[in-house]
Structures are given as C-alpha cells and as structure tokens.
C-alpha cells in the first residue's frame, strides 16, 4: 500500500465541490431568494440525468458507460475503484470527503494497473465523496455515497457455483447472493459457447430464485456463463458488474463427425496414416481410442490407437478409421488410394505472398474422365532427418484460390503438394519447395580440388544441407587468391574448371552460396599448389618412351621373324659371290643344271662390225684388279 497524501483544498475549489452536490451543501453566502430559485432547478437536472443513466445502464450494461466504477467488496467493505484504460500512462485518483473537512486524498497507480483499493479506515458510512481520476491531461469525475446501496456504488456480483446436469441435455446454473445484498435484488444471466462472439442474455423475469435451467445445448460442447445484479430503477443503485466466467461442458453421446484421414505419399517400408481430431461439437464426449481397420496379405486387421496417427505396412489397403468414446463407435472415414506419382499441371500455381503466406490458385479445370471431388493441399516441413507429421487442407473445386492456414517459420523449407481427389482415385498434379521468408545462407559449401595440368584445376562441391540454405540457392561464387593475383567467378552448377593458373603457385579457394536474400558466409578454405612445366615435360617424355620402346622391340621381332631369314648370309655364300664376279669374264655353267634341248634357229646374217679400238690410259693398270685377284689366286 502506497502512502496516502492529505492536502487542504483552496476556498475556490471548496465552493466548486459544494455546488457540484446540486445545492445539498450549497453555502448560504448568497441571498435566500437566489438559493430558493436555483435549488429546485438543480435537483430536477440531477434527477433527470440520473434517470437517463439508469435507463441506459439497463439496456447497455455497466461496462459500456462506466469509465470509472467503484464497488464495495469483502467483509471489510473496502472501496475498489477501477477504470477501462490499460495503457502505460500514469493514473492518479483523488478522493475528496465532501461533508465535513473537504480533505483530499490522492494515490498514483503503478503503470499498467487499472484499479485502486481504498481501505475502509479512510471512509465514513453514508457520507458523500467526490472522485477524480487524471491521466495524460484528461480526467474523469464521479460522486458517490459510501454505503452498500448508495449512489453510483457498484455491488459485488453474485457467486456462481458448479453446474448440475439433469435429463441428458439440461444444465442447471446456480449462484449465491453476496452477504450485504438482498435476495430481492434483480439479476441478469448470460451464456455462450466458448469462443463465440455474442452472448445470450436471460433477464430476471425468467430466472428462478438462485438457479436457472439451460436447455437445447449442443452435446459435449464447452459453454461459459456470467451473472450480475441489475440496478434499481427506483433508486440510484447501479447494481454490479458481470461475475467471473464459469466454464462447463455439456454431456456427450456417440461421435457424430467424420474424421479427416490422409496417408503419407512418401514411399518406404512403412506407411504413415494420420487424421485430424474432431471438434468439441462433433466429439460429443471424450474420445478414448480410434479404431483402425486395414487389409494386408489378404486378411482384414483391426487395431486401436490413442494418438491421431499409426504406422502400417506399405502394402496395406482399404484403411479406415472411426472414433470411439464411452458411448460407442462413431462414423467410419477411409483414406483415398495411393497417389504418389505426380503429373505436372499448368493450371495450378503455388507461391508465397508478400506477407509470408503460402497460396494456391487453380486457373483452369483439370481434364479428367470424371469431375474431381475436392482438392487437397499437403504441406510438410522439410528437415534433415525427415518429416513424420503432415499438415493438409481440403477445399472444394469451386474455389479458385486458397491460403494455407498456420504460422510458417522463416528460413524453413516447406514442400507443398496439390492432389485432386476423385470418388475412387487420387491424382497428384503439382509439387513445390517454398520458403515463407528467405534469408542468406548460414554456411558455405566445401570444395574438392583436382589438378588437371600446371595451369588448370577442376573444382567440385556438395549441395548445402537444408538447415544451412535458408532459401532457394540461386548461384555460387568462387574466390581464388594467390600471391600473384586473385579471381572471383560466379557459377550456377556444382562443379567448374578454372584455367589460366600460374605454374608452381600456391592458391587458396573459398566458396559462398547465394539466395534471393543475399550472399552467405564463405565455407572452409582449401589450399593447393600447381605443378611445374619441366615436370610436365618429363612426364610426357616418360610416357613417350613407354610407348616407343615396346613398339621398337615388336618391330625388331617382326623383322627377324619374317624378313631377316630371306636375306642370304655373306659368309656362307662367299663362293657364290665370287662366281658371280666371274660371270662377266667366262660363261660357266653349273654341271648339275638340267639341259634343255631347243631347236636351233640360225640367226640372220648381219654385216660384221668393225673391231673397236680399246684405248687405255694406263690409269687402269694401277687401279683395276687383275684376273688373279678376282679369282682369289693372289
């Protein structure tokens, strides 16, 4: 409790406060005739204004007209004053006692607090008080008479007790009166479904003493109820505010709603089937289990699960689910057939709007042998370990546009797939990976380097993991640095050849990834050194020798095997060579040569030639071999 500060009012303020009581505390400083004339007029104006306030309070309620309200609470009868504003502006309440000393009491409420409690020790029963609330240069004034049924003083509302159930769908609401309030005080009751916008109000004429029967309520639905005292039209009593809300749930029956069942489109060893829980209105009671039936291996199997999903064999067919509560099983809902194959469709578009919401539009009706029953949009968050839970939305084919509900996290990839459901089959038509909001990548790719030559290298890198992408990757940038020069190159794929490198030079490579939001940080730096030119020549020479030596050896073997044996040996055929030299001087015949008898034909006679004169210069005698030398005799 903060410290209360007392201060005396000036004479002008005292006179203004006295006149505000409509002549009840009017000073006698003026003449009797003037007071006699003005006093009835002020009383009439005050009563007229009070009646207007009371009539409006009955029709509109206390909260609509009460900018500053005070009511007596607790056995100590302290005065609790509250106001509607919940802003961070500082509020100060001034309380002035108007009967005797006209003293003023002020108190400042903490920021964000919209009430103040004035303890009983500062109040005198049946005395009038003037209250003034100031905040941000504005003020609200209120005159009250401190008593349980005094002017402008609110009563404490009745106390609601737990409801009772009768005859299936009848709920009895009961309450107790406050200690200082008479049972004859009129009340009003209002109720509604939890989450509904409007209340249904029941006036005092329809209420029984301390109870009221609510009928025609929906089964197993949460309701909330409030009660308050009505102001008396014949006096200045303002009644009370609405009491605290009492929440209850109506009794249940067998579930009456259909489950929204869907199966995972991802192929694997098991099949995941999920369904959405029923609403409170269709549950009609607490769901105990879900009954699941399916066909596997030609046999019908039945199982019960408490959660809204189940893992079944991938070959399972005819999968149906029904909810079960304490009253029995509800309606059966079955999954559509498998529709994992996607067929591209130009009539369906999936995109992200400026606010980060995911939208689907159907520009034209899809060609099909029969009319589609409904569209189903499946949305799942792509995480590195795989997503197990799905989120899907159905909308009729008459709708051309759909906005997916839910809060989509930024920088997270979502796979959105559109299916068309027919009466007995399912068709997948479109699939996209979207980000509700893109950001720059949080990491860079790791590079692998393969040297091709002294001036060329091949770079390759892996795709960034999903948690680090934070958007759709649009390109990569290669940063190549050395002591001599640097290179920056933008590429689209995941490998690239860099030429024009300097021989025998050390290089450092870093890479970054780009999205629509910008460039991310570089990945780990990789270092390499190009080779020397002489080293390359040696390698080429060695390769040449490795190729030419086997060819040479092979050539020699072929020559020896196929050609060398056909050439006469000079040593073994020396005699033949000598004979060949003598064939020009003496015609000798081989005695072993077979003789062929031919008919001699006389040659035609010719004129004899004159003998040729042999001229020798004597030079031949010195250089030409003699016959003996030719025959090997000398």
């Amino acid at each position: 409790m903060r410290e209360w500060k007392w201060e005396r009012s000036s004479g002008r303020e005292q006179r203004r406060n006295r006149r505000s009581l409509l002549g009840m505390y009017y000073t006698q400083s003026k003449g009797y005739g003037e007071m006699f004339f003005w006093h009835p007029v002020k009383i009439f104006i005050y009563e007229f204004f009070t009646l207007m306030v009371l009539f409006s309070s009955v029709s509109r309620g206390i909260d609509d007209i009460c900018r500053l309200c005070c009511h007596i609470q607790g056995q100590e009868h302290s005065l609790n004053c509250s106001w509607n504003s919940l802003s961070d502006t500082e509020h100060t309440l001034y309380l002035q006692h108007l009967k005797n000393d006209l003293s003023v009491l002020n108190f400042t409420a903490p920021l964000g607090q919209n009430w103040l409690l004035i303890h009983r020790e500062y109040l005198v029963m049946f005395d009038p008080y003037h209250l003034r609330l100031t905040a941000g240069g504005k003020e609200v004034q209120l005159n009250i008479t401190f008593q349980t049924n005094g002017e402008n003083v609110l009563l404490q509302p009745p106390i609601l007790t737990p409801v009772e159930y009768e005859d299936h769908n009848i709920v009895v609401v009961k309450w107790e009166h406050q200690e200082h309030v008479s049972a004859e005080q009129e009340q009003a009751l209002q109720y509604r479904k939890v989450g509904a916008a409007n209340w249904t109000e029941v006036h005092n004429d329809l209420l029984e003493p301390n109870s009221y029967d609510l009928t025609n309520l929906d089964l197993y639905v949460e309701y909330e109820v409030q009660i308050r005292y009505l102001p008396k039209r014949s006096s200045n009593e303002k009644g009370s505010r609405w009491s605290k809300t009492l929440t209850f749930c109506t009794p249940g029956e067998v579930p009456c709603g259909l489950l929204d069942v869907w199966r995972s489109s991802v192929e694997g060893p098991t099949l995941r089937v999920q369904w959405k829980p029923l609403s409170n209105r269709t549950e009609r009671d607490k769901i105990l289990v879900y009954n699941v039936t399916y066909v596997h291996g030609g046999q019908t199997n039945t199982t019960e699960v408490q959660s809204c999903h189940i893992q079944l064999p991938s070959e399972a067919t005819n999968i149906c689910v029904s909810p079960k509560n304490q009253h029995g099983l509800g309606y059966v809902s079955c999954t559509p057939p498998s529709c994992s194959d996607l067929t591209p469709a130009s009539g369906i578009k999936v995109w992200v709007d400026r606010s980060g919401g995911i939208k689907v539009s159907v520009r034209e009706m899809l060609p099909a042998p029969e009319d589609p029953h409904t569209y189903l949009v499946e949305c799942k968050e792509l995480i590195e370990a795989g997503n197990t839970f799905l989120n899907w939305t159905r909308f009729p084919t008459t709708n051309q546009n759909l906005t997916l509900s839910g809060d989509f996290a930024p920088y997270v990839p979502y796979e959105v797939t559109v299916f068309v459901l027919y009466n007995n089959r399912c068709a997948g038509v479109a699939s996209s990976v979207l980000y509700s909001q893109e950001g720059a990548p949080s990491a860079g790719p790791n590079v692998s380097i393969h040297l091709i030559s002294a001036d060329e290298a091949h770079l390759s890198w892996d795709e960034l993991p999903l948690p680090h992408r934070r958007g759709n990757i649009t390109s990569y940038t290669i940063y190549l640095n050395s002591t001599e020069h640097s290179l920056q190159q933008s590429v689209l794929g995941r490998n690239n050849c860099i030429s024009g490198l300097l021989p025998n030079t050390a290089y450092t490579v870093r890479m970054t990834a780009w999205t629509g939001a910008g460039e991310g940080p570089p990945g780990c730096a990789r270092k390499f050194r190009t080779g020397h030119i002489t080293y390359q020549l040696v390698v080429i020479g060695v390769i040449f020798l490795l190729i030419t030596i086997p060819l040479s050896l092979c050539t020699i073997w072929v020559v020896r095997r196929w050609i060398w044996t056909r050439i006469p040996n000079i040593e073994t055929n020396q005699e033949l060579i000598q004979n060949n030299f003598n064939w020009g001087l003496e015609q000798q015949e081989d005695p072993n040569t077979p003789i062929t008898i031919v008919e001699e034909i006389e040659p035609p006679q010719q004129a004899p030639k004159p003998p040729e004169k042999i001229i020798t210069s004597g030079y031949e005698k010195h250089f030409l071999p003699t016959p003996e030398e030719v025959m090997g005799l000398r």
Side-chain angles (χ1 to χ4, degrees), residues 433-435 438 469-474 514-516:
V433 177
L434 304 173
Y435 289 82
E438 289 193 352
R469 295 180 196 174
R470 296 163 59 89
N472 292 313
I473 302 298
T474 57
W514 287 77
T515 64

Side-chain angles (χ1 to χ4, degrees), residues 340 566 619:
S340 57
R566 298 184 181 182
Y619 178 82

Side-chain angles (χ1 to χ4, degrees), residues 1 4 71 73 76-83 93 107 113 115-120 122:
M1 187 68 185
W4 293 88
H71 63 271
Q73 70 174 25
E76 298 180 356
H77 290 180
S78 298
L79 188 65
N80 189 350
C81 297
S82 60
W83 51 90
L93 180 66
F107 179 71
Q113 180 174 304
W115 58 271
L116 289 171
L117 184 64
I118 303 174
H119 289 280
R120 177 67 177 83
Y122 302 114

Side-chain angles (χ1 to χ4, degrees), residues 155-171:
L155 302 174
Q156 282 286 84
I159 303 174
L160 290 170
T161 58
V163 298
E164 298 179 0
Y165 300 96
E166 292 184 2
D167 296 337
H168 187 59
N169 64 342
I170 297 178
V171 179

Side-chain angles (χ1 to χ4, degrees), residues 592-614:
N592 299 323
T593 302
I595 299 174
T596 303
I597 300 175
V598 296
E599 182 181 357
E600 294 184 4
I601 300 175
E602 295 182 359
Q605 295 182 359
Q606 295 180 353
K609 294 182 179 180
E612 296 180 357
K613 185 179 181 179
I614 300 174

Side-chain angles (χ1 to χ4, degrees), residues 171-243:
V171 179
V172 181
V173 180
K174 295 186 176 182
W175 60 89
E176 298 177 355
H177 292 285
Q178 293 290 343
E179 181 182 357
H180 57 276
V181 179
S182 172
E184 298 179 356
Q185 183 82 28
E186 294 184 350
Q187 306 109 42
L189 183 141
Q190 63 180 10
Y191 66 96
R192 66 178 179 183
K193 294 180 181 179
V194 173
N198 300 322
W199 293 85
T200 301
E201 187 170 347
V202 182
H203 200 264
N204 183 77
D205 297 338
L206 302 175
L207 298 178
E208 299 178 1
N210 294 18
S211 66
Y212 179 71
D213 295 343
L214 296 177
T215 58
N216 299 325
L217 301 179
D218 292 336
L219 296 175
Y220 197 64
V221 175
E222 284 189 326
Y223 285 87
E224 53 187 4
V225 61
Q226 294 177 340
I227 191 171
R228 69 180 178 96
Y229 288 120
L230 293 174
K232 290 184 178 181
R233 302 182 182 182
S234 59
S235 64
N236 295 329
E237 297 179 10
K238 296 186 66 173
S240 71
R241 286 182 168 181
W242 291 105
S243 64

Side-chain angles (χ1 to χ4, degrees), residues 2-206:
R2 292 176 178 259
E3 181 182 358
W4 293 88
K5 297 181 180 179
W6 295 86
E7 58 181 21
R8 303 292 298 180
S9 303
S10 62
R12 181 181 300 176
E13 188 175 6
Q14 293 177 8
R15 289 192 296 271
R16 183 172 63 251
N17 292 332
R18 290 181 180 181
R19 288 195 299 269
S20 64
L21 293 177
L22 305 178
M24 295 176 60
Y25 307 101
Y26 194 84
T27 61
Q28 297 182 1
S29 60
K30 296 187 177 182
Y32 176 81
E34 184 178 359
M35 186 182 69
F36 180 79
F37 174 78
W38 285 107
H39 184 71
V41 174
K42 292 184 177 181
I43 292 297
F44 174 77
I45 295 174
Y46 176 77
E47 290 180 351
F48 176 79
F49 177 76
T50 303
L51 290 175
M52 293 298 295
V53 170
L54 290 175
F55 281 121
S56 61
S57 65
V58 173
S59 59
R60 294 187 300 169
I62 299 297
D63 291 338
D64 297 335
I65 64 173
C66 186
R67 299 177 60 190
L68 174 62
C69 298
C70 297
H71 63 271
I72 299 175
Q73 70 174 25
Q75 297 180 355
E76 298 180 356
H77 290 180
S78 298
L79 188 65
N80 189 350
C81 297
S82 60
W83 51 90
N84 294 331
S85 176
L86 289 175
S87 63
D88 293 336
T89 306
E90 188 178 77
H91 290 72
T92 302
L93 180 66
Y94 296 90
L95 178 67
Q96 185 176 17
H97 193 183
L98 298 177
K99 186 173 182 180
N100 297 326
D101 53 0
L102 299 178
S103 57
V104 177
L105 184 69
N106 63 27
F107 179 71
T108 301
L111 293 178
Q113 180 174 304
N114 67 329
W115 58 271
L116 289 171
L117 184 64
I118 303 174
H119 289 280
R120 177 67 177 83
E121 57 184 291
Y122 302 114
L123 303 169
V124 180
M125 188 65 70
F126 306 112
D127 283 1
Y129 291 88
H130 176 74
L131 293 95
R132 182 165 55 93
L133 180 69
T134 61
K138 300 180 180 180
E139 67 176 29
V140 180
Q141 298 185 13
L142 177 66
N143 292 326
I144 65 170
T145 299
F146 181 67
Q147 55 182 339
T148 55
N149 56 350
E151 299 178 6
N152 298 328
V153 177
L154 296 178
L155 302 174
Q156 282 286 84
I159 303 174
L160 290 170
T161 58
V163 298
E164 298 179 0
Y165 300 96
E166 292 184 2
D167 296 337
H168 187 59
N169 64 342
I170 297 178
V171 179
V172 181
V173 180
K174 295 186 176 182
W175 60 89
E176 298 177 355
H177 292 285
Q178 293 290 343
E179 181 182 357
H180 57 276
V181 179
S182 172
E184 298 179 356
Q185 183 82 28
E186 294 184 350
Q187 306 109 42
L189 183 141
Q190 63 180 10
Y191 66 96
R192 66 178 179 183
K193 294 180 181 179
V194 173
N198 300 322
W199 293 85
T200 301
E201 187 170 347
V202 182
H203 200 264
N204 183 77
D205 297 338
L206 302 175

